[in-house]
Every structure is written in structure tokens, then in C-alpha cells.
Amino acid sequence: MQMTDALNQIAPEGTRLGEFWDVLPEESGATPEGVLAIGGVDVAKLAETYGTPLHIVDEVGLRRQIRRFIDGLRERWPNSEVLFASKSLPIVGMYRLAQEEGLSVDIAGGGELKLALAGGVDPARLHFHGNAKTDAELQMALEAGIGTIIVDNEDEIARLERLISRPQKVLLRVIPGVDAETHASQATGGSDSKFGLPMDQAARAIERMRAHPLIDFEGVHLHIGSQILNTRQFAQAVENISSVGTFATYDVGGGLGVKYTYEEDAPSVEAYLDSIVESARAHLPAESKIMIEPGRSIVARAGVTLYRVVSVKRTGKVFVAIDGGLADQMDIALTDQRYEAIIADRLHEPWTESVQLVGRQCESGDLLVDGAAVPEPHVGDLVVMPVTGAYAYTMSNNYNGALKPAIVFVADGEARLVARRETYDDLLAVHAPAMY
Ligand SMILES: Cc1ncc(COP(=O)(O)O)c(C=O)c1O
């Protein structure tokens, strides 16, 4: 491919290049004019219609990925359930799609509960997470008829004992003692994690819950972290948790990592499921139910963010500044995640430069891609940041008065707006009128 050849010319020596298309949504292609098309829709047309920055989600690829998880787990372990970790993309359109595809849904707070219900998710298929659920949130969840509460700590048990008035299914989150090989901010399975109880405190909590007539204790939950590329760590967590006891249900969390850059490799869904299920066969009761909670690995690749170049500055480096930034790609600051950038309306041109893709926020850390391989950049170019379907929109914020971008789902040559762009009126709406 011409683009890969061009990239080879400037790639650091020894870098192994993956396929260009592997970081783009599955349903991607190029128009004869060399414009990126996703879901059969030319991104230049999307920019014209919806403006930039814009999140674009390949609905067909997304649904296919969901089926890989649901069918793949069911084939290996029939008594199983796949939950979408909705924190990765908590928008009504995504909740609706998850419901349509037969996913259950995990939520972490009152806001996600409201959004999930608005998306038509059956409350019985909701699983409520969080290490600091308030009385008000638990009350909301109980009133909604939530399926399962994943209890984090003894204070939460005390709250439930006070609040529940009819039988309620619960799981207990335990710390499995696996230090996940990922960024420290994304590791949640080690002994100093703030989430869940250490395994040696689980028995007492379980006994307390079992003693309550309305608490229906089903089993245990674990989650070792996010963006994990070593599948052996998932297997280890399953093995470790088996020592807590024999239960009806084991929820072994999410965390499968994805490929963000050309050089990176990530395990397939199948390899991930093999690793969990092989360990479950060896260590868990054969009749138990296994649940998993993928978030990133469901939505990340299906989504890209589309920007327009505002300025090109050549100092010692080449700074390509776009009309968005860190405010809509926060996980770069939180996790140092590396991304690629593609000039999306001149795909056929060779990549001759290595540039700094920067945003418009007032931070030098607002560096989205350090050394993006691109053709000669111009003001007005369209830039796509691939693999931004997870944890981008949900963490976007109003820093420097930034407006949350719009989101469109694209499929079979059609686009539909699922979340509109924030407006300046939205920004002003939360302030008391007397203040302005
Ligand atoms: C409890 C729990 N489950 C699942 C997930 C989803 O993780 P990922 O998006 O890495 O699959 C998270 C993410 O933080 C989580 O905290």
C-alpha cells in the first residue's frame, strides 16, 4: 500500500509496521478522490454536515465486535453473560444499541443509570458498580428494579441493609491480587486498589450479606484494570478468585486492551476468551455462570474523532494545531496513551513529514500525537484520530470553554446524529442567571 510505503520512509529504524487499516474502524475505505470513508460515508461530507470536532462511530463494525464477545463466550462457556462497561461510551444511542444486540450493561453511578434507562435498557439487565455509591443512587437503582448491585465495601452493605425492601441480587467485588501490566492509573487488581475488598476480608462480608433475608448473594466480581495486553493476567485473576469460595456467579471484569498505533499488537477477542475460559475450566465450578465486562475492546476501534487543521507552524518542529484538543482526548493526559493521526482527505498522498498534532487547550501537555506521519499539512485539512471510540467522549469537558463534540453513527452509507454538539447556551445554562 502506498501509505504504508511512505510511512516506512520516515518510520524509526526497526519499527514493525502494522497495517494502516487495522487502526481504523472495520468498515473503512477510501473514496476515489482519496477521502476516508467510514460506514460508506465520506468524512468530508460529515464535516460539512455536522462540523468538527466530531466523533464518528462505525455501527456495523461495532455490532460485529459485540457478536464476537457474546457468541465467543457462549460457545466456550454456555452459562455466560456479556456486560457492556458503559463508562467507555455512556450515550443513549449506545445503550440502545447494546440492548438491541443482547448485551447486559454495567453502570457506575446515577448518571449512567439515567442514560441507560433512557436508552431502553431493561433494568433487570443492569449491573451497578462503584466504590462510593450514595444513598440517593442506591435508592434510585432499587426503585428502578436494578438487576444486580456489585457491592464494594462494608459501608455499602450497611446502606443496603437499611434501604432494601425486596429481594436484591448482589455480587461482592474482591481484589484478586493481580498487578496488571498497564498504566498505574488503569490498574485496579493489586493489593492497594481502592476498589473492592481484599480476598481475606471477603468471607466476613459474604457472611453478613447472606444473613440478611433480602440480600440475595450470588457470587464475586473482579476487575484487574484496563488496556491489558497480556491475556495470562486475566487467567491468573480467575485462578486467584477461585480461592474465595464456590459461588453461582463469577464476574471476571473487563480490561482487554486494543491496538492504538501501527506498531502495537493486541490480543484478539478469541485469545482473550480462551485464556479466561481455560482458567475457569481449571479452577471454577463447571455449573457456575461467568460474566465479563468489556468496554474499551467493544467500542474503541469503532470510533474516530474528526478534526480540522487551524494552523501549521514551523519552528524547530512542525506544529499542526486542530480545532479540538485535550478537552476531548483526556486519557492522553491520564494514561499517556499513544495515538496515530491521519490526514483524512488526502489519503493517496505519501507521508513525508513527522509532525506534532496539538490541540487548542492552554497546556503544553495538549500534545495529541508526538510525531504523526502525514503528507505536507495545510490549514483546512481534515485529521482523524483513530481508536477514539472509548473513554474520549465520556471524559470530554469544558476546559477553556470547549464544547463537547457531536457524535454520529454511520452505517451502510447513512449517518445519524446520536448526540448533538454542545452549544454556548449549554455552557451558560448551569450558571445562575443573576451571575451574568
Ligand atoms: C468494574 C469495571 N468493569 C469493566 C470496566 C471496563 O474496562 P475496559 O474498558 O478496559 O474493558 C471497567 C473500567 O474501568 C471497570 O471499572
Side-chain angles (χ1 to χ4, degrees):
M1 181 193 303
Q2 184 190 0
M3 281 164 292
T4 308
D5 292 345
L7 180 60
N8 270 320
Q9 292 162 20
I10 58 169
E13 214 181 331
T15 301
R16 194 181 62 73
L17 292 171
E19 275 298 310
F20 169 77
W21 295 104
D22 284 353
V23 297
L24 282 162
E26 290 182 35
E27 296 294 307
S28 296
T31 68
E33 298 75 36
V35 179
L36 178 66
I38 301 175
V41 188
D42 172 335
V43 299
K45 298 223 167 70
L46 290 172
E48 250 169 57
T49 310
Y50 300 102
T52 51
L54 179 69
H55 289 288
I56 304 167
V57 176
D58 160 21
E59 193 176 329
V60 172
L62 174 58
R63 289 182 191 269
R64 199 180 291 133
Q65 181 75 341
I66 292 171
R67 298 254 47 99
R68 287 185 189 114
F69 276 103
I70 296 180
D71 297 343
L73 184 57
R74 194 177 289 143
E75 277 161 24
R76 291 165 175 80
W77 194 280
N79 186 12
S80 60
E81 190 173 349
V82 180
L83 282 51
F84 170 54
S86 71
K87 66 200 72 179
S88 57
L89 188 60
I91 58 169
V92 172
M94 182 62 206
Y95 285 111
R96 192 171 297 288
L97 188 148
Q99 168 85 7
E100 285 168 8
E101 290 297 327
L103 284 168
S104 294
V105 170
D106 104 29
I107 53 163
E112 288 182 0
L113 172 60
K114 286 274 181 201
L115 291 162
L117 294 174
V121 179
D122 175 358
R125 301 196 67 172
L126 286 174
H127 300 247
F128 189 11
H129 279 287
N131 64 317
K133 307 179 190 80
T134 64
D135 275 16
E137 286 177 313
L138 282 169
Q139 192 67 52
M140 254 170 80
L142 293 168
E143 278 165 18
I146 192 116
T148 305
I149 295 177
I150 291 113
V151 170
D152 180 89
N153 55 66
E154 295 261 1
D155 292 319
E156 188 178 338
I157 299 175
R159 284 200 168 82
L160 278 179
E161 287 167 344
R162 259 192 296 113
L163 294 172
I164 58 175
S165 55
R166 58 187 151 85
Q168 175 62 53
K169 255 201 274 184
V170 304
L171 299 178
L172 176 70
R173 180 159 183 172
V174 295
I175 302 172
V178 173
D179 284 311
E181 294 160 17
T182 185
H183 191 275
S185 72
Q186 292 168 299
T188 57
S191 54
D192 55 358
S193 174
K194 72 166 181 170
F195 300 101
L197 290 176
M199 287 191 282
D200 61 3
Q201 291 179 27
R204 196 181 67 192
I206 292 169
E207 203 180 314
R208 178 171 174 184
M209 288 191 280
R210 280 186 168 146
H212 193 285
L214 296 179
I215 297 182
D216 179 7
F217 174 75
E218 289 253 314
V220 286
H221 167 277
L222 70 89
H223 174 68
I224 60 173
S226 200
Q227 186 54 15
I228 294 160
L229 299 169
N230 177 356
T231 57
R232 286 192 308 275
Q233 296 210 294
F234 297 110
Q236 186 63 55
V238 170
E239 177 176 349
N240 291 5
I241 200 148
S242 67
S243 68
V244 180
T246 301
F247 309 112
T249 301
Y250 296 84
D251 179 338
V252 298
L256 174 61
V258 301
K259 173 179 167 68
Y260 279 96
T261 61
Y262 303 131
E263 294 95 348
E264 223 170 21
D265 270 331
S268 64
V269 171
E270 291 72 24
Y272 160 76
L273 294 175
D274 281 344
S275 137
I276 284 179
V277 170
E278 274 164 29
S279 185
R281 287 199 187 109
H283 303 289
L284 300 185
E287 65 287 357
S288 62
K289 178 174 188 174
I290 293 183
M291 304 202 295
I292 57 169
E293 305 174 334
R296 183 187 306 270
S297 51
I298 286 184
V299 289
R301 183 181 172 193
V304 305
T305 319
L306 181 66
Y307 296 105
R308 201 174 282 282
V309 174
V310 177
S311 75
V312 178
K313 186 161 43 182
R314 291 176 186 277
T315 57
K317 295 189 168 182
V318 185
F319 290 101
V320 175
I322 49 160
D323 56 357
L326 209 53
D328 32 76
Q329 302 294 348
M330 268 306 289
D331 77 329
I332 292 176
L334 288 174
T335 70
D336 300 325
Q337 184 57 59
R338 287 193 53 238
Y339 288 86
E340 302 290 354
I342 294 166
I343 293 191
D345 47 355
R346 290 189 286 122
L347 288 186
H348 292 341
E349 290 185 25
W351 300 351
T352 51
E353 297 203 35
S354 174
V355 304
Q356 306 298 94
L357 188 79
V358 295
R360 56 187 306 169
Q361 267 75 54
C362 300
E363 305 287 331
S364 289
D366 183 10
L367 171 60
L368 302 179
V369 182
D370 181 1
V374 292
E376 185 185 341
H378 305 302
V379 170
D381 282 343
L382 287 170
V383 174
V384 147
M385 273 182 67
V387 204
T388 50
Y391 301 108
Y393 182 80
T394 183
M395 289 192 202
S396 58
N397 59 70
N398 298 125
Y399 182 40
N400 288 152
L403 303 173
K404 278 183 113 150
I407 307 186
V408 290
F409 280 14
V410 288
D412 306 323
E414 302 283 339
R416 61 189 176 102
L417 185 68
V418 294
R420 69 161 171 79
R421 180 178 311 286
E422 265 185 342
T423 63
Y424 293 129
D425 284 344
D426 292 328
L427 269 191
L428 290 167
V430 295
H431 301 277
M435 301 300 289
Y436 59 90

mmCIF file of all heavy atoms in Angstrom, residues 301-336:
data_model
loop_
_atom_site.group_PDB
_atom_site.id
_atom_site.type_symbol
_atom_site.label_atom_id
_atom_site.label_comp_id
_atom_site.label_asym_id
_atom_site.label_seq_id
_atom_site.Cartn_x
_atom_site.Cartn_y
_atom_site.Cartn_z
ATOM 1 N N ARG A 301 -12.198 0.748 18.725
ATOM 2 C CA ARG A 301 -11.818 0.790 17.306
ATOM 3 C C ARG A 301 -12.943 1.311 16.424
ATOM 4 O O ARG A 301 -12.693 1.872 15.346
ATOM 5 C CB ARG A 301 -11.394 -0.618 16.845
ATOM 6 C CG ARG A 301 -10.931 -0.606 15.422
ATOM 7 C CD ARG A 301 -10.528 -1.957 14.895
ATOM 8 N NE ARG A 301 -10.284 -1.875 13.463
ATOM 9 C CZ ARG A 301 -10.155 -2.910 12.674
ATOM 10 N NH1 ARG A 301 -10.197 -4.125 13.175
ATOM 11 N NH2 ARG A 301 -9.959 -2.742 11.378
ATOM 12 N N ALA A 302 -14.182 1.124 16.862
ATOM 13 C CA ALA A 302 -15.307 1.565 16.020
ATOM 14 C C ALA A 302 -15.372 3.085 15.896
ATOM 15 O O ALA A 302 -16.008 3.609 14.989
ATOM 16 C CB ALA A 302 -16.619 1.032 16.596
ATOM 17 N N GLY A 303 -14.697 3.808 16.798
ATOM 18 C CA GLY A 303 -14.844 5.256 16.809
ATOM 19 C C GLY A 303 -13.588 6.006 16.404
ATOM 20 O O GLY A 303 -12.465 5.612 16.735
ATOM 21 N N VAL A 304 -13.774 7.085 15.669
ATOM 22 C CA VAL A 304 -12.670 8.010 15.375
ATOM 23 C C VAL A 304 -13.142 9.420 15.738
ATOM 24 O O VAL A 304 -14.334 9.671 15.842
ATOM 25 C CB VAL A 304 -12.258 8.008 13.877
ATOM 26 C CG1 VAL A 304 -11.912 6.606 13.404
ATOM 27 C CG2 VAL A 304 -13.337 8.634 12.994
ATOM 28 N N THR A 305 -12.178 10.313 15.929
ATOM 29 C CA THR A 305 -12.531 11.720 16.116
ATOM 30 C C THR A 305 -12.007 12.508 14.922
ATOM 31 O O THR A 305 -10.853 12.327 14.510
ATOM 32 C CB THR A 305 -11.914 12.289 17.412
ATOM 33 O OG1 THR A 305 -12.017 11.312 18.443
ATOM 34 C CG2 THR A 305 -12.651 13.552 17.846
ATOM 35 N N LEU A 306 -12.877 13.330 14.370
ATOM 36 C CA LEU A 306 -12.540 14.101 13.166
ATOM 37 C C LEU A 306 -12.322 15.565 13.554
ATOM 38 O O LEU A 306 -13.169 16.172 14.213
ATOM 39 C CB LEU A 306 -13.707 13.988 12.175
ATOM 40 C CG LEU A 306 -13.559 14.698 10.839
ATOM 41 C CD1 LEU A 306 -12.441 14.069 10.003
ATOM 42 C CD2 LEU A 306 -14.880 14.629 10.053
ATOM 43 N N TYR A 307 -11.188 16.100 13.138
ATOM 44 C CA TYR A 307 -10.836 17.491 13.441
ATOM 45 C C TYR A 307 -10.494 18.222 12.150
ATOM 46 O O TYR A 307 -10.215 17.601 11.131
ATOM 47 C CB TYR A 307 -9.586 17.551 14.334
ATOM 48 C CG TYR A 307 -9.750 16.950 15.702
ATOM 49 C CD1 TYR A 307 -9.196 15.699 16.007
ATOM 50 C CD2 TYR A 307 -10.421 17.638 16.703
ATOM 51 C CE1 TYR A 307 -9.326 15.160 17.275
ATOM 52 C CE2 TYR A 307 -10.549 17.103 17.981
ATOM 53 C CZ TYR A 307 -10.002 15.867 18.260
ATOM 54 O OH TYR A 307 -10.131 15.337 19.513
ATOM 55 N N ARG A 308 -10.438 19.571 12.245
ATOM 56 C CA ARG A 308 -9.943 20.349 11.115
ATOM 57 C C ARG A 308 -8.688 21.115 11.553
ATOM 58 O O ARG A 308 -8.609 21.564 12.698
ATOM 59 C CB ARG A 308 -11.007 21.318 10.602
ATOM 60 C CG ARG A 308 -10.729 21.744 9.180
ATOM 61 C CD ARG A 308 -11.831 22.575 8.591
ATOM 62 N NE ARG A 308 -13.024 21.883 8.136
ATOM 63 C CZ ARG A 308 -13.152 21.211 6.994
ATOM 64 N NH1 ARG A 308 -12.122 21.066 6.184
ATOM 65 N NH2 ARG A 308 -14.300 20.668 6.653
ATOM 66 N N VAL A 309 -7.719 21.186 10.651
ATOM 67 C CA VAL A 309 -6.472 21.885 10.969
ATOM 68 C C VAL A 309 -6.723 23.397 10.949
ATOM 69 O O VAL A 309 -7.286 23.940 9.995
ATOM 70 C CB VAL A 309 -5.364 21.511 9.955
ATOM 71 C CG1 VAL A 309 -4.108 22.352 10.187
ATOM 72 C CG2 VAL A 309 -5.039 20.026 10.058
ATOM 73 N N VAL A 310 -6.295 24.059 12.026
ATOM 74 C CA VAL A 310 -6.486 25.505 12.163
ATOM 75 C C VAL A 310 -5.188 26.247 11.837
ATOM 76 O O VAL A 310 -5.207 27.319 11.251
ATOM 77 C CB VAL A 310 -6.958 25.846 13.604
ATOM 78 C CG1 VAL A 310 -7.090 27.357 13.791
ATOM 79 C CG2 VAL A 310 -8.282 25.155 13.914
ATOM 80 N N SER A 311 -4.057 25.682 12.221
ATOM 81 C CA SER A 311 -2.802 26.350 11.862
ATOM 82 C C SER A 311 -1.671 25.340 11.720
ATOM 83 O O SER A 311 -1.717 24.253 12.331
ATOM 84 C CB SER A 311 -2.432 27.414 12.900
ATOM 85 O OG SER A 311 -1.942 26.803 14.066
ATOM 86 N N VAL A 312 -0.706 25.703 10.901
ATOM 87 C CA VAL A 312 0.506 24.880 10.740
ATOM 88 C C VAL A 312 1.690 25.803 11.013
ATOM 89 O O VAL A 312 1.866 26.813 10.325
ATOM 90 C CB VAL A 312 0.613 24.314 9.296
ATOM 91 C CG1 VAL A 312 1.894 23.507 9.141
ATOM 92 C CG2 VAL A 312 -0.605 23.456 8.964
ATOM 93 N N LYS A 313 2.437 25.474 12.031
ATOM 94 C CA LYS A 313 3.525 26.370 12.436
ATOM 95 C C LYS A 313 4.841 25.606 12.362
ATOM 96 O O LYS A 313 4.955 24.518 12.934
ATOM 97 C CB LYS A 313 3.247 26.837 13.864
ATOM 98 C CG LYS A 313 4.214 27.872 14.353
ATOM 99 C CD LYS A 313 3.698 28.670 15.545
ATOM 100 C CE LYS A 313 3.001 27.895 16.610
ATOM 101 N NZ LYS A 313 2.501 28.721 17.692
ATOM 102 N N ARG A 314 5.807 26.194 11.658
ATOM 103 C CA ARG A 314 7.107 25.515 11.534
ATOM 104 C C ARG A 314 8.132 26.281 12.363
ATOM 105 O O ARG A 314 8.553 27.366 11.982
ATOM 106 C CB ARG A 314 7.531 25.443 10.067
ATOM 107 C CG ARG A 314 6.636 24.504 9.270
ATOM 108 C CD ARG A 314 6.958 24.487 7.785
ATOM 109 N NE ARG A 314 5.961 23.675 7.093
ATOM 110 C CZ ARG A 314 6.014 22.338 6.996
ATOM 111 N NH1 ARG A 314 7.026 21.673 7.506
ATOM 112 N NH2 ARG A 314 5.060 21.685 6.374
ATOM 113 N N THR A 315 8.450 25.750 13.511
ATOM 114 C CA THR A 315 9.538 26.329 14.306
ATOM 115 C C THR A 315 10.637 25.288 14.244
ATOM 116 O O THR A 315 10.975 24.831 13.163
ATOM 117 C CB THR A 315 9.047 26.609 15.745
ATOM 118 O OG1 THR A 315 8.570 25.395 16.311
ATOM 119 C CG2 THR A 315 7.932 27.636 15.761
ATOM 120 N N GLY A 316 11.178 24.850 15.401
ATOM 121 C CA GLY A 316 12.086 23.711 15.337
ATOM 122 C C GLY A 316 11.314 22.477 14.905
ATOM 123 O O GLY A 316 11.806 21.612 14.187
ATOM 124 N N LYS A 317 10.053 22.396 15.331
ATOM 125 C CA LYS A 317 9.184 21.272 14.981
ATOM 126 C C LYS A 317 8.051 21.784 14.104
ATOM 127 O O LYS A 317 7.881 22.997 13.960
ATOM 128 C CB LYS A 317 8.603 20.674 16.274
ATOM 129 C CG LYS A 317 9.676 20.056 17.147
ATOM 130 C CD LYS A 317 9.097 19.281 18.289
ATOM 131 C CE LYS A 317 10.223 18.455 18.910
ATOM 132 N NZ LYS A 317 9.775 17.628 20.007
ATOM 133 N N VAL A 318 7.274 20.838 13.581
ATOM 134 C CA VAL A 318 6.097 21.241 12.802
ATOM 135 C C VAL A 318 4.871 21.026 13.691
ATOM 136 O O VAL A 318 4.535 19.881 14.030
ATOM 137 C CB VAL A 318 5.965 20.400 11.516
ATOM 138 C CG1 VAL A 318 4.806 20.925 10.664
ATOM 139 C CG2 VAL A 318 7.265 20.386 10.733
ATOM 140 N N PHE A 319 4.233 22.127 14.098
ATOM 141 C CA PHE A 319 3.042 22.023 14.946
ATOM 142 C C PHE A 319 1.796 22.143 14.089
ATOM 143 O O PHE A 319 1.566 23.175 13.446
ATOM 144 C CB PHE A 319 3.035 23.134 16.007
ATOM 145 C CG PHE A 319 4.086 22.944 17.053
ATOM 146 C CD1 PHE A 319 5.272 23.670 17.008
ATOM 147 C CD2 PHE A 319 3.894 22.027 18.080
ATOM 148 C CE1 PHE A 319 6.255 23.487 17.973
ATOM 149 C CE2 PHE A 319 4.878 21.837 19.047
ATOM 150 C CZ PHE A 319 6.050 22.563 18.994
ATOM 151 N N VAL A 320 1.003 21.085 14.103
ATOM 152 C CA VAL A 320 -0.277 21.110 13.388
ATOM 153 C C VAL A 320 -1.360 21.234 14.452
ATOM 154 O O VAL A 320 -1.577 20.308 15.246
ATOM 155 C CB VAL A 320 -0.458 19.816 12.553
ATOM 156 C CG1 VAL A 320 -1.833 19.774 11.904
ATOM 157 C CG2 VAL A 320 0.649 19.710 11.505
ATOM 158 N N ALA A 321 -2.002 22.408 14.494
ATOM 159 C CA ALA A 321 -2.992 22.660 15.552
ATOM 160 C C ALA A 321 -4.398 22.468 14.993
ATOM 161 O O ALA A 321 -4.726 22.971 13.919
ATOM 162 C CB ALA A 321 -2.821 24.067 16.099
ATOM 163 N N ILE A 322 -5.199 21.734 15.747
ATOM 164 C CA ILE A 322 -6.552 21.394 15.283
ATOM 165 C C ILE A 322 -7.601 22.106 16.139
ATOM 166 O O ILE A 322 -7.278 22.718 17.150
ATOM 167 C CB ILE A 322 -6.768 19.868 15.337
ATOM 168 C CG1 ILE A 322 -6.326 19.353 16.714
ATOM 169 C CG2 ILE A 322 -6.012 19.172 14.220
ATOM 170 C CD1 ILE A 322 -6.879 18.041 17.080
ATOM 171 N N ASP A 323 -8.869 21.947 15.739
ATOM 172 C CA ASP A 323 -9.943 22.686 16.407
ATOM 173 C C ASP A 323 -10.530 21.940 17.613
ATOM 174 O O ASP A 323 -11.687 22.133 17.968
ATOM 175 C CB ASP A 323 -11.044 23.046 15.397
ATOM 176 C CG ASP A 323 -11.607 21.821 14.671
ATOM 177 O OD1 ASP A 323 -11.109 20.691 14.911
ATOM 178 O OD2 ASP A 323 -12.531 21.990 13.855
ATOM 179 N N GLY A 324 -9.748 21.072 18.209
ATOM 180 C CA GLY A 324 -10.154 20.393 19.447
ATOM 181 C C GLY A 324 -8.902 20.217 20.270
ATOM 182 O O GLY A 324 -7.953 20.984 20.125
ATOM 183 N N GLY A 325 -8.867 19.206 21.134
ATOM 184 C CA GLY A 325 -7.651 19.004 21.914
ATOM 185 C C GLY A 325 -7.876 18.111 23.101
ATOM 186 O O GLY A 325 -8.767 17.248 23.096
ATOM 187 N N LEU A 326 -7.060 18.381 24.122
ATOM 188 C CA LEU A 326 -7.082 17.546 25.318
ATOM 189 C C LEU A 326 -8.469 17.475 25.953
ATOM 190 O O LEU A 326 -8.830 16.463 26.546
ATOM 191 C CB LEU A 326 -6.096 18.155 26.327
ATOM 192 C CG LEU A 326 -5.427 17.215 27.289
ATOM 193 C CD1 LEU A 326 -4.766 16.062 26.576
ATOM 194 C CD2 LEU A 326 -4.389 17.993 28.092
ATOM 195 N N ALA A 327 -9.243 18.558 25.811
ATOM 196 C CA ALA A 327 -10.580 18.563 26.419
ATOM 197 C C ALA A 327 -11.423 17.416 25.871
ATOM 198 O O ALA A 327 -12.332 16.944 26.555
ATOM 199 C CB ALA A 327 -11.281 19.891 26.175
ATOM 200 N N ASP A 328 -11.155 16.968 24.661
ATOM 201 C CA ASP A 328 -11.911 15.815 24.152
ATOM 202 C C ASP A 328 -11.057 14.553 23.997
ATOM 203 O O ASP A 328 -11.538 13.543 23.484
ATOM 204 C CB ASP A 328 -12.662 16.145 22.849
ATOM 205 C CG ASP A 328 -11.963 17.154 21.973
ATOM 206 O OD1 ASP A 328 -10.975 16.774 21.318
ATOM 207 O OD2 ASP A 328 -12.381 18.307 21.983
ATOM 208 N N GLN A 329 -9.825 14.575 24.469
ATOM 209 C CA GLN A 329 -8.982 13.351 24.463
ATOM 210 C C GLN A 329 -8.256 13.267 25.803
ATOM 211 O O GLN A 329 -7.028 13.192 25.868
ATOM 212 C CB GLN A 329 -7.967 13.393 23.311
ATOM 213 C CG GLN A 329 -8.547 13.543 21.923
ATOM 214 C CD GLN A 329 -9.372 12.351 21.448
ATOM 215 O OE1 GLN A 329 -9.359 11.277 22.053
ATOM 216 N NE2 GLN A 329 -10.110 12.532 20.362
ATOM 217 N N MET A 330 -9.002 13.257 26.883
ATOM 218 C CA MET A 330 -8.416 13.356 28.219
ATOM 219 C C MET A 330 -7.528 12.179 28.593
ATOM 220 O O MET A 330 -6.645 12.295 29.427
ATOM 221 C CB MET A 330 -9.529 13.454 29.268
ATOM 222 C CG MET A 330 -9.932 14.853 29.623
ATOM 223 S SD MET A 330 -8.561 15.870 30.131
ATOM 224 C CE MET A 330 -8.205 15.145 31.721
ATOM 225 N N ASP A 331 -7.774 11.010 28.019
ATOM 226 C CA ASP A 331 -6.999 9.866 28.523
ATOM 227 C C ASP A 331 -5.530 9.953 28.114
ATOM 228 O O ASP A 331 -4.687 9.271 28.685
ATOM 229 C CB ASP A 331 -7.637 8.517 28.176
ATOM 230 C CG ASP A 331 -7.429 8.112 26.761
ATOM 231 O OD1 ASP A 331 -7.342 9.021 25.930
ATOM 232 O OD2 ASP A 331 -7.351 6.912 26.482
ATOM 233 N N ILE A 332 -5.209 10.860 27.173
ATOM 234 C CA ILE A 332 -3.793 11.068 26.859
ATOM 235 C C ILE A 332 -3.100 11.625 28.103
ATOM 236 O O ILE A 332 -1.997 11.206 28.470
ATOM 237 C CB ILE A 332 -3.649 12.022 25.656
ATOM 238 C CG1 ILE A 332 -4.184 11.316 24.407
ATOM 239 C CG2 ILE A 332 -2.206 12.465 25.475
ATOM 240 C CD1 ILE A 332 -4.202 12.168 23.168
ATOM 241 N N ALA A 333 -3.770 12.555 28.782
ATOM 242 C CA ALA A 333 -3.189 13.138 29.997
ATOM 243 C C ALA A 333 -3.205 12.135 31.148
ATOM 244 O O ALA A 333 -2.270 12.069 31.946
ATOM 245 C CB ALA A 333 -3.957 14.388 30.384
ATOM 246 N N LEU A 334 -4.258 11.343 31.228
ATOM 247 C CA LEU A 334 -4.388 10.428 32.362
ATOM 248 C C LEU A 334 -3.504 9.198 32.240
ATOM 249 O O LEU A 334 -3.009 8.674 33.235
ATOM 250 C CB LEU A 334 -5.849 9.948 32.483
ATOM 251 C CG LEU A 334 -6.865 10.972 32.972
ATOM 252 C CD1 LEU A 334 -8.262 10.378 32.887
ATOM 253 C CD2 LEU A 334 -6.555 11.378 34.403
ATOM 254 N N THR A 335 -3.342 8.709 31.018
ATOM 255 C CA THR A 335 -2.716 7.393 30.862
ATOM 256 C C THR A 335 -1.527 7.389 29.899
ATOM 257 O O THR A 335 -0.969 6.316 29.645
ATOM 258 C CB THR A 335 -3.739 6.366 30.319
ATOM 259 O OG1 THR A 335 -4.038 6.706 28.960
ATOM 260 C CG2 THR A 335 -5.022 6.354 31.117
ATOM 261 N N ASP A 336 -1.177 8.547 29.341
ATOM 262 C CA ASP A 336 -0.085 8.632 28.355
ATOM 263 C C ASP A 336 -0.343 7.755 27.128
ATOM 264 O O ASP A 336 0.608 7.317 26.460
ATOM 265 C CB ASP A 336 1.272 8.205 28.957
ATOM 266 C CG ASP A 336 1.666 9.067 30.129
ATOM 267 O OD1 ASP A 336 1.363 10.265 30.085
ATOM 268 O OD2 ASP A 336 2.269 8.540 31.092
#
